[in-house]
Amino acid sequence: MTEGNFVDYVKVFFTSGKGGKGSAHLHREKYITKGGPDGGDGGRGGHIILRGNQNLWTLVTFKFKKHFKAGHGEHGSKNRSTGADGEDIFIDVPLGTILRDGETNEILFEITEHGEQKIVLEGGMGGRGNWHFKTPTNQTPRYAQPGVEGKEGSFILELKILADVGLVGFPNAGKSTLLSVITSAKPKIADYEFTTLKPNLGIVEYRDFQSFVMADIPGIIEGAAEGKGLGHYFLRHIERNATLLFLIPADSNDISKEYEILLDELRRYNSELLDKERLVAISKSDMLDDELMDEMRTELDKDLNVPYMFISSAAQQGITELKDRLWAMLNA
């Protein structure tokens, strides 16, 4: 998936269908010139319905179509025939999609299961035909109810990606490089900060045809929890990851301190993120010799209170062990 095709926030406008009019028909046939009321009810207007689809990963389809309108109900007719209901509009969205009110920004619901359906706007009710209004004192009512108008409104669709493993780290820590090595994804890679501006997803193929999903989250900077840098834009994606993989380069000035800064940003954004399984991967470790690596291990064992391992995406070192470690964490 290219970066340009990853859309995770869109504004849309929905309109449900209007209900059909009830019929004010009076029964007529040969030899019956003054029959009673037999006007049928109008059909209801179409609903606007969101439906979860596990085969979708992005909201890119809404980049080109943002207005959706359901069908109107048909009018009632003679012989108490009810008009057909308006056509419902089913809108497929990826799992992890949240619907917000476009005016208040209030969360209305979220879609998390394949095939799950939620009605956003109900269609208007169809009007009742005149036979409903027949009484002993008014046996031939010549009126019927009009259909109820449909509803409309603006909404926000927001995607929090459902990935098994989320890559967390400062800009230019090597997250995109690791994703390109460990999966078949082709993220943008360059030697400057904020190369990745939108999350990238990749499927990690494991043994016996098993797999799990890894997400490359745009780099964190200090103050991200307050909205600095890309701020909340990417932090919300971490909420749905089962396991967090912290990526810190071996040439960092202080690996333990860098990890604590990253952890503190997650804590300030949402303290529940600290309940997730965590693993630290020291990237670019091909630049370390055995002696330096032993020295770093001594310091990390003392200062780092989380499991860690050394890897190198460029030299393909520790990649298989990393897959094994992540698989064990996901299936613990």
Side-chain angles (χ1 to χ4, degrees), residues 4-234:
N5 285 337
F6 189 91
V7 178
D8 57 357
Y9 184 95
V10 292
K11 293 183 178 179
V12 290
F13 193 86
F14 296 148
T15 305
S16 64
K18 177 182 177 180
K21 294 190 297 186
S23 172
H25 189 268
L26 299 176
H27 181 66
R28 295 289 184 269
E29 62 178 274
K30 194 174 182 180
Y31 308 121
I32 301 178
T33 57
K34 292 187 178 181
D38 70 344
D41 301 341
R44 69 157 175 84
H47 300 325
I48 299 289
I49 303 171
L50 286 194
R51 179 172 57 192
N53 187 334
Q54 64 185 5
N55 299 313
L56 297 178
W57 294 93
T58 172
L59 300 172
V60 68
T61 53
F62 300 96
K63 197 174 180 180
F64 311 104
K65 183 177 180 181
K66 301 190 177 187
H67 291 254
F68 296 84
K69 190 173 184 178
H72 298 316
E74 294 186 6
H75 304 321
S77 57
K78 61 183 180 180
N79 297 326
R80 299 189 184 183
S81 295
T82 301
D85 292 341
E87 181 184 2
D88 294 333
I89 296 296
F90 289 88
I91 303 170
D92 284 358
V93 295
L95 306 188
T97 299
I98 290 174
L99 183 77
R100 293 181 181 271
D101 186 292
E103 302 295 330
T104 65
N105 209 39
E106 174 192 0
I107 294 178
L108 303 177
F109 58 78
E110 57 184 314
I111 301 288
T112 57
E113 296 181 7
H114 181 67
E116 180 182 1
Q117 297 180 12
K118 297 275 190 179
I119 296 177
V120 182
L121 293 177
E122 292 186 346
M125 288 175 51
R128 293 193 295 174
N130 62 347
W131 71 273
H132 287 282
F133 305 105
K134 179 180 178 180
T135 67
T137 56
N138 184 12
Q139 297 191 3
T140 55
R142 298 175 184 273
Y143 52 84
Q145 286 182 329
V148 176
E149 292 288 339
K151 301 174 183 177
E152 62 179 26
S154 60
F155 298 88
I156 295 170
L157 292 173
E158 181 181 294
L159 176 62
K160 294 182 180 180
I161 55 177
L162 289 169
D164 299 304
V165 179
L167 282 169
V168 182
F170 283 116
N172 214 22
K175 300 186 298 300
S176 297
T177 304
L178 174 61
L179 189 73
S180 69
V181 168
I182 205 171
T183 75
S184 57
K186 301 296 181 226
K188 183 179 179 182
I189 299 172
D191 60 354
Y192 54 84
E193 294 185 350
F194 290 112
T195 308
T196 303
L197 296 176
K198 295 183 179 180
N200 290 299
L201 294 174
I203 298 176
V204 180
E205 295 182 357
Y206 194 61
R207 298 184 176 92
D208 302 323
F209 304 103
Q210 295 171 312
S211 64
F212 57 90
V213 178
M214 180 178 284
D216 168 20
I217 310 296
I220 294 178
I221 63 171
E222 279 194 87
E226 283 76 47
K228 289 184 180 179
L230 296 173
H232 298 164
Y233 176 80
F234 61 83

Side-chain angles (χ1 to χ4, degrees), residues 245 279-283 285 297 307-311 318-323 325-326:
L245 176 61
L279 174 65
V280 173
I282 314 299
S283 63
S285 59
R297 281 198 179 96
Y308 67 89
M309 59 188 303
F310 291 90
I311 67 166
I319 300 301
T320 301
E321 292 80 359
L322 178 62
K323 287 183 181 182
R325 193 74 167 268
L326 292 172

